[in-house]
Amino acid sequence: MKYLVQISRILVGALFIISGFIKLNDPLGFSYKLQEYFGEDVLNMEFLIPYALLISVFVVVFEVVLGVFLLIGYKPKFTVYSLLAMIVFFTFLTFYSAYFDKVKDCGCFGDALKLTPWESFTKDVILLVLILILVYGLKHIKPIFTKLPTTVIALLSFIASLWFGYHVLMHLPAIDFRAYAIGKNIKEQMTIPEDAQKPILEYTWTFKVNGEEQEFVTNGSYPQVDGEYIGVETETIDEGYIPPIQDFSIESVDEDLTSHFLDVENLLIVAMYNISKAEEDGVVKLKAFTDKAMAKGYTVIGLTSSGEAEKQQVKQDHNLNFDFYLCDEKVIKTIVRSNPGIVILDKGTVVDKAHWNDIEDIEL
């Protein structure tokens, strides 16, 4: 039992640290996922949406710290029972998401590793079993250092986690796992290769044959049945190849300009997923920066999901000399974790991006 506890201790501790660090690298992204869970269609707890970022930071810092606590053996009873409470909650959440098909990706490993709802639930069940082993063998979890070093490491892990979370919120994620990372080409990420795996669909046809309803399963072809057609249901067996970027667009009131702008050299995008929620200090910086970019030959546009009235209002209030185009809010949030944020493209390739705090660091 002693060895089983130690193996479980290492596996659980390491997984919580890795999972927590990936989310701590992008707490804003995890807060968007929490907002999805809190929404009316999932848990119907919309009163928590304004606190999603605060909850996000608390959860991911706690996740990393508990992983460290477990590995070094700091306060074993508190650590193990905290881990148990956390995994019970997450197991319920992933089961609910999977069973009712509410959230397609749990966000357990941020954008670094995408898991289906049932894969997430399976992972949580395995973790639950490992943590129950730790609960049963709690007496075998001992500190690996003496009291003072163990306490110092525990405190430093908490401080370091808080600092790192604050740092990436004030700038951008230290590691960008998304399809819009620097060096990625958006056009290529949107393209489906000719030899890509096609989706596999299963069709269940219902016919009335000799007065009784019968089902016939095909891969799409209409079955040759001597009976009265009633209906058909389609099930996706394999989604096939899904391009990393699916919903990116740049649209005016009248037309889709995506292809046009993805062919432009030196394109500077001011991303504001929601103008009314943009941070005022960041918006104030845009005038001087975008005027400088245009003077150096850059094409400057804004990208937002806000309506025409808000676009015109922000241009007027801050004397901005560029036009805003329409894009889906979720897509803009994915492109850059800042509101406003800056993205520089060269024929569709992401050359640079920055939080509004770091506008001065961008070399034009």
Side-chain angles (χ1 to χ4, degrees):
M1 182 64 189
K2 180 180 179 180
Y3 295 108
L4 186 58
V5 169
Q6 298 309 320
I7 292 172
S8 298
R9 174 182 179 177
I10 293 170
L11 290 175
V12 172
L15 194 58
F16 265 73
I17 291 173
I18 293 170
S19 172
F21 175 76
I22 290 173
K23 291 195 288 288
L24 188 59
N25 173 67
D26 186 13
L28 199 57
F30 186 53
S31 74
Y32 296 152
K33 182 59 62 176
L34 289 179
Q35 290 177 26
E36 195 174 342
Y37 275 113
F38 295 151
E40 182 180 359
D41 294 337
V42 186
L43 296 177
N44 196 22
M45 300 171 69
E46 293 182 283
F47 66 93
L48 289 176
I49 290 179
Y51 310 103
L53 181 57
L54 182 64
I55 295 171
S56 165
V57 173
F58 172 78
V59 168
V60 295
V61 168
F62 198 45
E63 192 173 348
V64 172
V65 167
L66 285 178
V68 174
F69 283 8
L70 182 62
L71 291 181
I72 66 176
Y74 180 75
K75 295 190 178 296
K77 189 173 182 179
F78 164 79
T79 300
V80 169
Y81 280 101
S82 296
L83 287 168
L84 180 62
M86 184 173 278
I87 200 60
V88 166
F89 172 72
F90 281 131
T91 303
F92 159 75
L93 208 59
T94 52
F95 171 77
Y96 182 89
S97 173
Y99 186 79
F100 293 101
D101 195 26
K102 294 291 186 179
V103 180
K104 299 299 182 183
D105 171 35
C106 71
C108 305
F109 294 97
D111 292 292
L113 176 64
K114 299 290 186 180
L115 298 179
T116 66
W118 284 115
E119 287 172 343
S120 301
F121 173 67
T122 303
K123 180 262 300 177
D124 286 343
V125 169
I126 294 171
L127 273 173
L128 178 59
V129 171
L130 293 174
I131 293 172
L132 288 174
I133 292 173
L134 296 177
V135 171
Y136 184 75
L138 191 57
K139 63 182 180 181
H140 298 299
I141 302 176
K142 306 293 183 184
I144 60 175
F145 304 111
T146 57
K147 185 175 181 180
L148 181 59
T150 301
T151 304
V152 170
I153 293 172
L155 181 60
L156 287 176
S157 69
F158 176 69
I159 294 173
S161 296
L162 275 181
W163 173 84
F164 184 67
Y166 175 79
H167 174 76
V168 296
L169 281 173
M170 293 297 102
H171 303 280
L172 287 180
I175 307 171
D176 194 344
F177 295 105
R178 286 157 289 152
Y180 300 93
I182 293 174
K184 297 285 184 71
N185 184 279
I186 295 177
K187 287 188 290 186
E188 293 176 0
Q189 302 285 299
M190 295 170 66
T191 304
I192 299 178
E194 291 184 6
D195 59 348
Q197 182 180 344
K198 306 299 182 185
I200 299 175
L201 304 177
E202 184 178 88
Y203 295 77
T204 302
W205 307 81
T206 305
F207 287 83
K208 182 175 286 187
V209 181
N210 297 326
E212 295 183 1
E213 290 189 3
Q214 295 184 19
E215 293 183 346
F216 300 85
V217 178
T218 73
N219 61 358
S221 57
Y222 191 86
Q224 300 299 316
V225 178
D226 185 14
E228 178 188 352
Y229 168 76
I230 295 177
V232 62
E233 292 184 358
T234 307
E235 180 182 358
T236 302
I237 305 301
D238 189 331
E239 292 183 336
Y241 176 81
I242 300 176
I245 296 177
Q246 302 171 62
D247 302 320
F248 178 82
S249 64
I250 302 175
E251 300 177 8
S252 68
V253 175
D254 303 316
E255 58 184 325
D256 187 333
L257 298 168
T258 308
S259 297
H260 166 72
F261 282 117
L262 289 182
D263 285 331
V264 172
E265 296 180 358
N266 297 329
L267 176 70
L268 191 150
I269 297 176
V270 176
M272 278 197 271
Y273 71 83
N274 186 314
I275 291 174
S276 65
K277 294 181 180 179
E279 297 186 64
E280 186 63 24
D281 290 346
V283 179
V284 168
K285 288 185 174 184
L286 294 177
K287 169 63 177 173
F289 176 72
T290 54
D291 283 353
K292 177 182 175 183
M294 284 186 276
K296 291 199 172 189
Y298 281 77
T299 300
V300 179
I301 64 171
L303 214 53
T304 185
S305 65
S306 298
E308 197 62 33
E310 288 180 295
K311 294 177 190 176
Q312 296 305 320
Q313 190 66 50
V314 74
K315 285 185 63 177
Q316 179 181 324
D317 291 347
H318 297 276
N319 194 26
L320 301 177
N321 294 320
F322 59 88
D323 293 323
F324 280 89
Y325 295 89
L326 186 65
C327 184
D328 179 74
E329 179 174 322
K330 187 175 181 180
V331 172
I332 300 175
K333 286 179 175 179
T334 305
I335 294 172
V336 59
R337 302 297 200 205
S338 177
N339 190 29
I342 302 297
V343 182
I344 298 178
L345 302 182
D346 185 66
K347 292 187 175 180
T349 297
V350 182
V351 176
D352 203 357
K353 61 166 63 175
H355 191 284
W356 63 262
N357 274 324
D358 302 316
I359 282 180
E360 295 82 0
D361 298 334
I362 295 179
E363 295 184 10
L364 298 172

